[in-house]
């Protein structure tokens, strides 16, 4: 399996410090300075899958386009984990980053060794998402037709009423977590811990955004069924609570 980490950073000194920490920890760093070059490097190429980056360290302030825009475009064809680097520490920036598909958000200045530790945590979490346990789960919603979910382990896909759902990694993990606790109310903090392991509690509002997008995909299959229950001031559960 590839251990290549793509560094997308226009400041050479910062890129060099990250690359050194990655090499010291057994990774193979690859560095580009522009968003367009990053997108080109991350597009699957026949015969080169083994060398594709397993994670992207992405600066928000790039010369040619915002790192946020790079992430938006990247999510159209890849679920490779992304860690944002930014000089801004506003909560809204971090929320936007997570909502468009980032896995973590690191504010400059930072410790390269801590960044590598976060990379290892994210890669472990991503590995679980890509190869979930062999399992099948079914729940019934309070409607005439039951809401049926099936988690197919080998494909990391979900069937809803027999139809496949095109879920992002975090939508998948969110639904999987709720399915594993039928009838139980999980707080936003609990969902953040299980789905966005290590993310700060101040970003709990990103849970609401992902629940909203997940609901929209479920309703596109069956507009009459909403198996996700909102418990005001408490959190979320699946049908049965």
């Amino acid at each position: 399996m590839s251990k290549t980490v793509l560094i997308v950073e226009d400041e050479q000194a910062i890129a060099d410090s990250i690359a050194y920490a990655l090499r010291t920890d057994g990774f193979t760093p690859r560095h580009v300075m522009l968003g367009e070059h990053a997108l080109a490097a991350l597009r699957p190429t026949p015969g080169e899958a083994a060398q594709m980056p397993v994670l992207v360290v992405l600066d928000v302030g790039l010369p040619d386009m915002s790192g946020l825009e790079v992430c938006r475009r990247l999510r159209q064809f890849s679920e490779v984990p992304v860690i944002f680097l930014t000089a801004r520490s506003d909560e809204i920036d971090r929320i936007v980053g997570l909502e468009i598909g980032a896995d973590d958000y690191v504010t400059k200045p930072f410790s390269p060794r801590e960044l590598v530790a976060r990379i290892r945590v994210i890669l472990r979490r991503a590995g679980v998402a890509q190869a979930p346990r062999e399992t099948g789960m079914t729940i019934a919603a309070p409607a005439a037709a039951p809401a049926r979910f099936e988690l197919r382990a080998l494909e990391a896909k979900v069937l809803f009423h027999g139809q496949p759902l095109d879920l992002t990694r975090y939508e998948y993990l969110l639904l999987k977590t709720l399915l594993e606790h039928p009838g139980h109310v999980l707080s936003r903090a609990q969902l953040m811990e299980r789905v966005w392991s290590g993310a700060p509690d101040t970003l709990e509002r990103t849970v609401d955004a992902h629940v909203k997008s997940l609901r929209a995909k479920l309703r596109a299959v069956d507009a009459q069924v909403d198996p996700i229950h909102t418990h005001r001031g408490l959190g979320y559960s699946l049908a049965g609570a």
Side-chain angles (χ1 to χ4, degrees):
M1 177 181 175
S2 170
K3 295 195 71 176
T4 300
V5 174
L6 181 65
I7 305 166
V8 190
E9 169 62 64
D10 63 321
E11 294 187 42
Q12 190 66 52
I14 294 177
D16 288 345
S17 66
I18 297 171
Y20 177 80
L22 286 168
R23 280 192 293 268
T24 301
D25 211 52
F27 290 96
T28 301
R30 181 178 175 186
H31 177 218
V32 297
M33 292 187 173
L34 299 178
E36 288 290 354
H37 293 168
L39 292 170
L42 290 162
R43 289 191 179 278
T45 303
E48 296 186 3
Q51 286 75 44
M52 289 294 291
V54 293
L55 183 140
V56 182
V57 178
L58 177 59
D59 186 24
V60 170
L62 296 172
D64 60 336
M65 70 177 76
S66 164
L68 297 173
E69 178 61 24
V70 174
C71 190
R72 287 192 186 96
R73 296 189 190 183
L74 176 62
R75 285 294 173 254
Q76 294 175 8
F77 63 87
S78 174
E79 284 294 315
V80 63
V82 173
I83 296 181
F84 274 129
L85 299 180
T86 180
R88 299 179 295 183
S89 59
D90 290 346
E91 179 182 343
I92 187 62
D93 292 330
R94 289 177 287 167
I95 291 173
V96 169
L98 290 174
E99 288 179 354
I100 65 174
D103 295 72
D104 204 348
Y105 217 104
V106 177
T107 304
K108 300 175 183 178
F110 59 89
S111 162
R113 292 181 63 184
E114 179 185 351
L115 175 61
V116 172
R118 292 196 186 196
I119 288 171
R120 287 202 170 276
V121 169
I122 288 169
L123 289 177
R124 284 197 297 270
R125 191 168 71 223
V128 170
Q130 292 164 8
R133 292 175 299 167
E134 191 73 40
T135 182
M137 302 180 185
T138 301
I139 67 165
R148 181 178 178 82
F149 291 96
E150 297 177 24
L151 271 66
R152 294 193 168 181
L154 297 180
E155 300 172 340
K157 291 183 179 179
V158 179
L159 299 183
F160 180 52
H161 286 321
Q163 297 188 39
L165 294 176
D166 183 18
L167 303 182
T168 67
R169 177 168 62 253
Y170 292 113
E171 289 167 349
Y172 174 87
L173 289 173
L174 179 60
L175 179 57
K176 182 174 183 288
T177 300
L178 291 170
L179 282 168
E180 289 174 339
H181 300 84
H184 292 271
V185 179
L186 296 178
S187 69
R188 290 171 177 81
Q190 289 173 318
L191 290 169
M192 284 297 297
E193 176 61 29
R194 288 166 172 79
V195 179
W196 292 269
S197 177
D201 293 340
T202 54
L203 300 184
E204 289 179 11
R205 280 183 290 171
T206 197
V207 174
D208 299 335
H210 282 80
V211 168
K212 180 179 179 181
S213 63
L214 180 57
R215 274 185 171 137
K217 292 180 179 181
L218 296 176
R219 286 172 174 164
V221 176
D222 187 343
Q224 303 303 313
V225 174
D226 184 6
I228 302 177
H229 292 179
T230 300
H231 302 264
R232 296 190 181 279
L234 297 175
Y236 297 97
S237 72
L238 283 182

